[in-house]
Structures are given as structure tokens and as C-alpha cells.
Amino acid sequence: MKAFVDENVCISCGMCEGICGDVFSLDTGVAVAIEGDVAADLEDAVNEACDSCPVAAISVE
């Protein structure tokens, strides 16, 4: 699984970082996801962050 944040949509609310700080961080004023594959034990948290994003800026593959 890979996580992506649409920087043009993100409002920097910090919800994703609060849910899964191992994958998401507020780096340049907007959220960013780690590069590469998400560890299997973090997939549920990434999906929760995706579902919780108020502007649907997060996607997963």
C-alpha cells in the first residue's frame, strides 16, 4: 500500500498526522506522506486517516 496527499486540496488540519504520525506529517504547510510502501501494521491507521480527512485529500493504492 502507498499513501498520497493531494497538496492542492489539503487544508493542513493535522488529522492524518494525529491518526498516523508514522506515515503523515505536516512538512511544508500541508500534509505529506512517507515515500514508498506503508508497513503492513500501519495500513489500518492509514485507511482511517484517509476516511477521516475532511477534504478527502488522501488516497491509497
Side-chain angles (χ1 to χ4, degrees):
M1 162 189 275
K2 292 186 181 196
F4 303 93
V5 177
D6 184 338
E7 296 178 1
N8 296 315
V9 177
C10 178
I11 59 171
S12 305
C13 71
M15 176 100 48
C16 59
E17 184 179 35
I19 293 170
C20 191
D22 290 332
V23 173
F24 301 101
S25 63
L26 293 175
D27 186 35
T28 58
V30 295
V32 293
I34 62 167
E35 293 185 19
D37 291 330
V38 172
D41 62 327
L42 297 174
E43 288 182 0
D44 287 342
V46 169
N47 284 322
E48 181 182 348
C50 181
D51 293 341
S52 299
C53 180
V55 294
I58 300 170
S59 60
V60 293
E61 288 182 357

